[in-house]
Amino acid sequence: MTLRLHDTASREVRDFVPLQEGKVGLYVCGLTVQSEPHVGHVRSGVNFDVLQRWLRVRGYDVTFIRNTTDIDDKILAKAEEQGRPWYNLAYEMHRELDRAYAALNVAPPTYEPAATGHVPEMVELIEALVERGHAYPAEDGSGDVYFDVRSWPTYGELTRQRIDDMEAAEDADPRGKRDPRDFALWKGWKVDREPATASWPSPWGRGRPGWHIECSAMAGKYLGTAFDIHGGGMDLRFPHHENEQAQSRAAGHPFAAYWMHNAWITTAGEKMSKSLGNSLTIPAVLERYRGIELRYYLVAAHYRSHVEFSFDALDEAVTGFRRVEAFLERAGVAGEAGSVVLADLPEAFVAAMDDDLGTPAAVAVLHDTVRDGNRLLADGADAAPVAARVLAMLDVLGLHPADPAWGGGDEAATTRLTEAVDVLVAGLLEERAAARAAKDFATADGLRDRLKAAGIEIEDTPSGPRWSLAQAHGKD
RNA sequence: GGUGGGUUGGCCGAGAGGCGAGGCAACGGACUGCAAAUCCGUGUACACGGGUUCAAAUCCCGUACCCACCUCCA
């Protein structure tokens, strides 16, 4: 079996062949750090984290670069509104994003470059484009530099659009552009409206980089002029990725061999960025759900499928995931995260993952395996080998329960608390056992109800009653 | 106007010419004092209208509705 991936450029699922045997260079467009991350933002982080994990399990040496855009119009505008320096806002939101990723067990990339740290690299690239005749300084003295779309014959190839079919941008006042579709590589400093801290020296005067150029410059710096996979959200296809590819190739770089794009999470049928959002920021969702549960919900859907977010659907996912956890608890297997080998995984799971990261099918295999394990348990047989396979699959998906990433709080304190509760519950369970022995079921059930009201569920098993915490968030 | 995607059972969500992914919910059975958990069983779904085919949810044509991108966007 070989790994096959959907390539946006060719619009088909094709065999993945790395440029260099055994190695993969992966670049993913991260976020513009301008507001608290919501569920939608974090999807691409989770999706590409799964890709990265799968590539590693498949034996590739992966160099994974995910950038952050820490300077742009929106950041400047918001910072101004909030009356603080733009870099202060960008930095705070960057930390917020890091927390969100950590809470979802999204592994840090090999390196996470920020736009503002790579201005010289961008200037160099722009200079090369000017020299080659694919870019020009604006003729209106604004200090802007534009990419000359007409000078690049294959412009539009990634998204299969012809220049003449494209709607010109509404804000496409001439501004010294040769064609309204020309895009800014460099934006001259607007002395009267923008802080000096948001400008850098360049051959065309002080200014700041345009949006698209940062990714071309940073991908080139860390992955080389040709690399394997470039990823990001659907909406980045055009203009961002189209422009990245055009400017990189116009500069003589082969650029990405595969393009991967994740689909949307919508709410009320709308793109999240357009709607409400507050209840769907990661910190807000994590007040009600565990990170591992949210991640399971995200992983259970295919990365190229639209997901219509709802708390009902999330609740269902939680129920499904708890079934898996309950099996592992019963099987008494904990294991350690981060040590999966291909041989540990069921064939069907591997086949599903190889087929363009078919996580839905992979999750189906997970559940099938859990059922096998439960059957063994029901027969009193040893389920440990099956549980090991379940753990291996969870590990690949970044859902290993024993992963320290889920630890979070003060574990020692939690352990002491658990022990304390255990003693208290044990006392009540003894009373209940006595009542049951005396066939006083009213008293026995009353005790069970009291515990239930306190959030503790009792199950009678062949080896005696056991207690567990109820789901923190019912389906009220 | 251009480009791309979607419409699947009560719900979520896969699949992509023949054998009903998986989950949740529901119902029946086993187990239980009753539950819970678990196991076993129960579903003839693919927007609509045509067509191709021995066979279509899957291919073709048309229609409707929805969404995204073409402006910053995961």
Side-chain angles (χ1 to χ4, degrees):
Chain A
M1 273 302 281
T2 44
L3 174 59
R4 292 165 59 75
L5 296 172
H6 178 88
D7 175 24
T8 308
S10 63
R11 288 192 308 179
E12 59 187 17
V13 177
R14 53 192 188 94
D15 288 358
F16 176 68
V17 182
L19 296 173
Q20 258 187 71
E21 178 86 36
K23 292 190 173 181
V24 175
L26 170 63
Y27 187 94
V28 174
C29 286
L31 294 173
T32 298
V33 282
Q34 45 103 6
S35 60
E36 272 193 329
H38 59 234
V39 176
H41 285 135
V42 126
R43 181 181 196 188
S44 99
V46 170
N47 286 159
F48 287 103
D49 183 54
V50 170
L51 170 64
Q52 178 259 118
R53 283 166 191 265
W54 186 239
L55 288 168
R56 289 185 207 279
V57 172
R58 269 230 149 274
Y60 291 106
D61 178 8
V62 181
T63 303
F64 175 24
I65 303 298
R66 186 183 60 218
N67 74 300
T68 19
T69 300
D70 58 349
I71 180 74
D72 86 323
D73 294 352
K74 235 179 188 169
I75 292 175
L76 289 174
K78 284 205 176 176
E80 162 115 47
E81 248 171 59
Q82 298 170 17
R84 56 166 157 169
W86 60 273
Y87 46 83
N88 177 282
L89 169 67
Y91 184 56
E92 186 192 333
M93 289 308 138
H94 191 342
R95 284 189 351 246
E96 198 65 54
L97 179 62
D98 281 346
R99 269 196 287 274
Y101 281 147
L104 290 169
N105 196 17
V106 171
T110 310
Y111 186 57
E112 185 173 23
T116 54
H118 298 76
V119 174
E121 286 86 345
M122 293 188 243
V123 168
E124 263 179 31
L125 186 57
I126 298 170
E127 280 183 308
L129 287 168
V130 172
E131 270 166 38
R132 285 170 169 251
H134 294 300
Y136 58 94
E139 282 132 32
D140 61 358
S142 61
D144 290 356
V145 180
Y146 298 113
F147 183 84
D148 186 348
V149 152
R150 298 275 178 191
S151 79
W152 189 244
T154 57
Y155 185 75
E157 65 179 331
L158 181 64
T159 49
R160 308 195 173 217
Q161 302 186 84
R162 288 176 312 160
I163 295 179
D164 294 310
D165 286 337
M166 293 178 198
E167 270 179 15
E170 270 172 38
D171 68 343
D173 60 73
R175 278 194 338 217
K177 285 187 183 180
R178 290 179 189 164
D179 185 287
R181 265 108 353 173
D182 288 353
F183 56 90
L185 298 168
W186 186 258
K187 297 180 168 188
W189 179 27
K190 297 173 188 71
V191 187
D192 50 328
R193 282 182 284 143
E194 293 178 358
T197 51
S199 73
W200 290 261
S202 87
W204 315 282
R206 291 193 76 82
R208 59 187 168 96
W211 177 34
H212 317 297
I213 196 72
E214 63 176 88
C215 291
S216 286
M218 297 189 290
K221 174 164 182 172
Y222 298 105
L223 297 174
T225 53
F227 59 96
D228 298 291
I229 305 171
H230 190 134
M234 276 298 233
D235 57 339
L236 296 179
R237 275 164 32 243
F238 193 91
H240 190 230
H241 288 339
E242 188 72 69
N243 291 352
E244 269 183 51
Q245 186 175 75
Q247 70 206 175
S248 286
R249 292 198 171 162
H253 305 169
F255 213 53
Y258 294 79
W259 287 90
M260 292 177 71
H261 295 277
N262 64 274
W264 297 115
I265 295 186
T266 57
T267 36
E270 272 199 327
K271 200 171 161 176
M272 256 184 204
S273 51
K274 282 185 182 169
S275 48
L276 40 136
N278 271 8
S279 61
L280 295 174
T281 63
I282 299 303
V285 173
L286 290 180
E287 276 175 24
R288 294 175 56 192
Y289 297 84
R290 293 181 296 155
I292 199 171
E293 294 169 341
L294 178 56
R295 181 171 173 118
Y296 172 82
Y297 173 68
L298 294 175
V299 160
H302 188 86
Y303 77 93
R304 283 193 290 121
S305 295
H306 291 231
V307 169
E308 173 71 19
F309 182 91
S310 77
F311 283 106
D312 282 349
L314 181 50
D315 283 335
E316 271 188 18
V318 169
T319 308
F321 184 67
R322 295 221 166 175
R323 187 182 146 81
V324 177
E325 288 185 306
F327 162 66
L328 291 173
E329 270 170 41
R330 256 176 282 124
V333 175
E336 229 174 272
S339 56
V340 210
V341 184
L342 218 44
D344 297 340
L345 299 163
E347 241 174 74
F349 182 90
V350 173
M353 292 301 286
D354 273 347
D355 183 14
D356 193 31
L357 300 184
T359 53
V363 168
V365 175
L366 176 73
H367 282 286
D368 286 341
T369 310
V370 166
R371 188 180 305 106
D372 289 346
N374 276 328
R375 207 176 288 135
L376 289 174
L377 248 28
D379 294 346
D382 179 20
V386 176
R389 257 178 279 144
V390 168
L391 282 174
M393 288 187 272
L394 289 173
D395 206 358
V396 169
L397 300 173
L399 293 168
H400 195 122
D403 198 310
W406 311 119
D410 181 343
E411 273 182 61
T414 308
T415 305
R416 287 205 305 280
L417 193 58
T418 305
E419 284 165 2
V421 172
D422 194 46
V423 171
L424 294 172
V425 172
L428 293 170
L429 286 179
E430 267 170 41
E431 275 181 49
R432 176 167 171 267
R436 291 178 72 199
K439 303 258 189 251
D440 178 2
F441 296 122
T443 304
D445 292 351
L447 284 165
R448 188 169 62 195
D449 292 343
R450 251 175 75 196
L451 286 165
K452 171 103 195 208
I456 290 172
E457 285 171 347
I458 301 302
E459 291 171 35
D460 291 316
T461 74
S463 52
R466 53 188 290 268
W467 67 270
S468 59
L469 285 177
Q471 237 172 278
H473 41 80
K475 295 192 182 181
D476 45 34

